[in-house]
Amino acid sequence: MTSGISRRARVLAAAVGTGVLVPLVATATPASAAAPAVTCTSAKAGLAAKLKKDITAALATRKGTVAVGLYDRSTNTTCTLRASSAYDSASIVKVTVLATLLWDAKKTNRYLTDRENTLAKAMITKSDNAATSTLWKQLGMTKIKNFLAAAGMTQTKPGANGYWGLTQITVTDEQKLLKLLTAKNAVLSDNSRAYIVKLMGQVVSSQRWGTPYGVPSGVTVAVKNGWLQRSTNGWRVHSVGAFKGGGHDYVMTVLSHGNSTMNYGIATIQAVAKVIHKDLAAS
């Protein structure tokens, strides 16, 4: 009678004192139903449905675990997928490091030193790890945590023992940071915002992959990417970007892990970015 029935179903049946197994098995949730769906909202008629359909299709055959965030001020459009799932930050955290440095400097009404400017430029435009470690150590955990609190980035957990690349990040918090960089706010000064976006616009060509892929001509690009291989969950490959032009003003975050190679992760991110740029341009 129990042949082919899962042990869990048999245990459940025994627990309720009945030999009727079929209803218990029937209520089990299929694995596919557990996968989260892309959700989109928009003030522009038809845009949310189009984005949801196209982002879902772009990820349909991709392996790994992907999280997506999109916000376009011009059409009040938001899309999310796994918005609160935590990922190892890799080099994406470098934007947070620079934002913390500028936020802290503003509190004491000082400009960055020449040394800090040099380190900041190397950290963002070339993704220099040594420069990042120097600034991370200089700031210290208290200042970093204080900035995260000020920015409302409550889901971000700084990496311990100097391991900034293992900071836990989410789409929700990365999108909060990108929004702070691209509109007036009380956390970052206009000069600080302009400085960060300028450096993100000067990233070396070999690191300009990811969210800028398929961006329409005439749209400005600010980007920062991250990549890291570990023994569990394969490659982490991430990209955050801010885009303005063509009647749109939008920020995008795509985080991923479980990629077999770095290039596989890049291709996944670019498949998502391509349809987002296309759909917004057509709206």
Side-chain angles (χ1 to χ4, degrees):
M1 174 184 169
T2 57
S3 174
I5 303 297
S6 74
R7 180 177 177 276
R8 178 173 174 273
R10 294 200 299 273
V11 170
L12 284 169
V16 296
T18 174
V20 182
L21 294 170
V22 176
L24 289 169
V25 175
T27 57
T29 304
S32 59
V38 176
T39 59
C40 295
T41 60
S42 179
K44 181 90 172 182
L47 182 56
K50 178 71 172 156
L51 282 163
K52 175 183 168 71
K53 175 176 173 283
D54 290 348
I55 295 170
T56 300
L59 291 171
T61 61
R62 305 303 294 176
K63 292 175 179 156
T65 305
V66 184
V68 179
L70 167 68
Y71 173 64
D72 176 34
R73 283 189 182 87
S74 307
T75 54
N76 195 22
T77 298
T78 300
C79 289
T80 58
L81 172 66
R82 295 189 179 91
S84 295
S85 294
Y87 290 77
D88 292 331
S89 68
S91 292
I92 291 292
V93 77
K94 292 170 181 177
V95 181
T96 299
V97 174
L98 180 52
T100 303
L101 180 68
L102 291 162
W103 172 80
D104 184 62
K106 179 191 169 191
K107 284 170 66 177
T108 53
N109 290 315
R110 73 172 184 88
Y111 292 105
L112 295 191
T113 64
D114 288 345
R115 170 183 162 276
E116 287 170 334
N117 273 313
T118 299
L119 290 169
K121 185 171 184 180
M123 176 173 70
I124 300 298
T125 65
K126 299 177 185 175
S127 207
D128 187 284
N129 291 336
T132 310
S133 294
T134 298
L135 290 172
W136 183 268
K137 186 176 179 181
Q138 174 186 315
L139 287 165
M141 199 57 74
T142 300
K143 286 179 180 178
I144 292 166
K145 286 183 175 178
N146 286 346
F147 168 74
L148 292 172
M153 295 169 67
T154 57
Q155 297 177 353
T156 301
K157 312 298 179 196
N161 304 315
Y163 290 108
W164 46 262
L166 298 185
T167 295
Q168 297 300 289
I169 61 170
T170 67
V171 157
T172 294
D173 277 8
E174 291 305 302
Q175 288 290 96
K176 281 182 180 178
L177 179 60
L178 289 170
K179 288 175 186 178
L180 287 177
L181 298 184
T182 52
K184 198 176 215 30
N185 61 83
V187 181
L188 293 170
S189 70
D190 291 350
N191 285 341
S192 294
R193 296 191 301 105
Y195 180 69
I196 298 172
V197 171
K198 180 180 119 179
L199 290 183
M200 289 174 68
Q202 295 174 350
V203 167
V204 295
S205 59
S206 60
Q207 295 178 19
R208 293 179 72 81
W209 44 263
T211 50
Y213 188 78
V215 68
S217 59
V219 174
T220 60
V221 173
V223 65
K224 184 69 194 81
N225 296 325
W227 55 98
L228 172 68
Q229 184 184 27
R230 299 187 71 193
S231 57
T232 56
N233 286 328
W235 279 89
R236 294 97 172 97
V237 187
H238 313 314
S239 183
V240 295
F243 309 90
K244 194 166 187 177
H248 293 278
D249 175 7
Y250 55 109
V251 293
M252 190 192 318
T253 298
V254 187
L255 310 177
S256 70
H257 62 212
N259 298 293
S260 54
T261 63
M262 178 178 167
N263 282 338
Y264 186 90
I266 291 173
T268 297
I269 293 170
Q270 294 188 165
V272 173
K274 182 180 179 181
V275 297
I276 287 174
H277 291 304
K278 183 182 174 192
D279 289 350
L280 287 177
S283 68

